C-alpha cells in the first residue's frame, strides 16, 4: 500500500509518502511562507527523491481540519486536484486525530490543541497506549471548558499543538491532574502521521472520491460570521419598518 500524506491545517506545511508500513519520505516546513508556495514543490521533491510514480499511489490522505481556513482550502484543493488527475481516492484524516497519533505508547491522555482565536482552541482527547482511541472528538471550545473535561478524566495528560503557547498560563493555573507539554518536535501536525493514520482508515474502507472531499472547519470563517451579523442587523431593521 502506498499513501501520499498532505498536511496544511496550521502554520506547518508537510508532505509525506508512506509505503507498506514504512514512512519513506517526509518534507516539513514550519515557516512564514504560504502553503500555496510550498506544498506542491514539497510533494514534487519527495516524489523525485524517492523515484515515486504517482500513478502507483493507492490513495491520498489529507489533513481535513479543523485549522486555518486558508490552509485547509489549499490542502483540500491540492489533494482534490491530484486525486482527480490520478483517479485516486482521498482519505479524510481529522487534523487533531493525526496529531495525537504521533504519541504512540504513552499512558497519558493526549490533548492536541490548535489556536482557534477568539479565546478558543480546536481540541480533542485521545489515548494511544495499545490501541488508538478517540476519547473526545474534535471541537472548538474555551480553554476553561476543555480543562474542566480533562480534570474530570482524572488522568495525567500531555498537551501539544500551537494552541499550547497561548493557553499555557491557563493550563498551569487550572489543570489539577499531572500534565506535561510535548517537546517541539512532537508538538506540530505532520504529514507522516496523516499518511500513517490514513493507511489505517484505508484498510477500514474510509475513503471518498476526490470531488466529495470537504474540510471540517468546525466554525464559520470570519467573513461568514460578519455576513451573518450583517444579515441579522438587516432583518432587525426590516422589523422596525
Amino acid at each position: 500500500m502506498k499513501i501520499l500524506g498532505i498536511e496544511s491545517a496550521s502554520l506547518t506545511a508537510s508532505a509525506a509518502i508512506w509505503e507498506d508500513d514504512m514512512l519513506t519520505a517526509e518534507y516539513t516546513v514550519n515557516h512564514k511562507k504560504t502553503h500555496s508556495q510550498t506544498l506542491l514543490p514539497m510533494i514534487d521533491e519527495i516524489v523525485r527523491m524517492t523515484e515515486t510514480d504517482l500513478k502507483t499511489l493507492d490513495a491520498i490522505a489529507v489533513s481535513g481540519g479543523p485549522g486555518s481556513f486558508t490552509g485547509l482550502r489549499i490542502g483540500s484543493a491540492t489533494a482534490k486536484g491530484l486525486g482527480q488527475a490520478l483517479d485516486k481516492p482521498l482519505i479524510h484524516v481529522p487534523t487533531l486525530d493525526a496529531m495525537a497519533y504521533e504519541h504512540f505508547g504513552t499512558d497519558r491522555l493526549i490533548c492536541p490543541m490548535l489556536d482557534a482565536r477568539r479565546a478558543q482552541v480546536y481540541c480533542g482527547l485521545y489515548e494511544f497506549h495499545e490501541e488508538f482511541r478517540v476519547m473526545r472528538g474534535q471541537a472548538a471550545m474555551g480553554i476553561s471548558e476543555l480543562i474542566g473535561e480533562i480534570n474530570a478524566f482524572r488522568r495525567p495528560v500531555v498537551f501539544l499543538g500551537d494552541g499550547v503557547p497561548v493557553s499555557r498560563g491557563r493550563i498551569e493555573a487550572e489543570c489539577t491532574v499531572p500534565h506535561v507539554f510535548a517537546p517541539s518536535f512532537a508538538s506540530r501536525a505532520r504529514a507522516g502521521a496523516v499518511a500513517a493514520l490514513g493507511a489505517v482508515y484505508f484498510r477500514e474502507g474510509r475513503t471518498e472520491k476526490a470531488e466529495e472531499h470537504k474540510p471540517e472547519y468546525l466554525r464559520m470563517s470570519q467573513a461568514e460570521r460578519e455576513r451573518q451579523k450583517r444579515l441579522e442587523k438587516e432583518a432587525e431593521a426590516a422589523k422596525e419598518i
Side-chain angles (χ1 to χ4, degrees):
M1 187 194 309
K2 190 180 297 183
I3 306 288
L4 171 67
I6 296 174
E7 169 58 64
S8 63
S10 63
L11 289 177
T12 303
S14 186
I17 295 175
W18 184 98
E19 183 175 5
D20 298 334
D21 291 321
M22 181 180 296
L23 180 62
T24 59
E26 184 178 50
Y27 192 155
T28 300
V29 174
N30 186 17
H31 197 54
K32 297 179 181 179
K33 292 184 178 179
T34 63
H35 297 334
S36 59
Q37 294 175 296
T38 57
L39 204 53
L40 281 173
M42 291 164 66
I43 293 172
D44 183 66
E45 180 67 11
I46 61 173
V47 165
R48 184 184 65 82
M49 290 292 291
T50 58
E51 300 179 336
T52 296
D53 182 352
L54 289 176
K55 294 179 182 178
T56 64
L57 292 173
D58 290 286
I60 299 166
V62 58
S63 178
S68 158
F69 287 81
T70 301
L72 288 172
R73 287 171 181 146
I74 292 170
S76 173
T78 302
K80 292 174 73 167
L82 288 171
Q84 290 176 327
L86 299 167
D87 193 24
K88 302 295 181 180
L90 266 56
I91 309 166
H92 182 125
V93 179
T95 301
L96 298 170
D97 292 22
M99 292 176 67
Y101 199 68
E102 299 179 38
H103 288 261
F104 169 76
T106 181
D107 58 358
R108 292 176 177 269
L109 200 63
I110 306 166
C111 180
M113 303 164 54
L114 294 176
D115 184 12
R117 309 284 178 90
R118 301 171 65 89
Q120 288 193 325
V121 291
Y122 297 122
C123 56
L125 296 174
Y126 307 82
E127 64 178 15
F128 196 10
H129 182 52
E130 295 180 356
E131 295 182 356
F132 185 67
R133 294 181 58 193
V134 179
M135 309 300 288
R136 199 250 189 267
Q138 299 186 139
M141 64 174 66
I143 187 63
S144 291
E145 182 183 356
L146 170 62
I147 294 174
E149 291 196 14
I150 290 172
N151 289 340
F153 273 93
R154 298 182 180 180
R155 289 178 55 182
V157 60
V158 53
F159 292 97
L160 60 139
D162 66 19
V164 169
V166 297
S167 306
R168 187 161 181 156
R170 298 278 297 280
I171 293 171
E172 295 282 20
E174 299 176 27
C175 190
T176 59
V177 298
H179 55 277
V180 296
F181 300 97
S184 59
F185 64 85
S187 188
R188 293 295 185 267
R190 292 174 48 190
V194 172
L197 185 54
V200 175
Y201 293 164
F202 183 84
R203 292 191 184 102
E204 296 173 351
R206 296 167 61 177
T207 63
E208 59 189 0
K209 294 180 180 179
E211 57 269 22
E212 297 173 342
H213 175 74
K214 294 180 180 179
E216 184 180 10
Y217 297 115
L218 293 185
R219 287 194 335 194
M220 292 187 294
S221 68
Q222 182 176 349
E224 290 170 327
R225 290 194 298 269
E226 291 176 353
R227 179 177 180 273
Q228 185 180 44
K229 287 181 180 179
R230 186 176 69 252
L231 291 174
E232 290 174 352
K233 287 182 179 179
E234 291 174 355
E236 287 296 324
K239 292 178 182 179
E240 296 175 359
I241 297 176

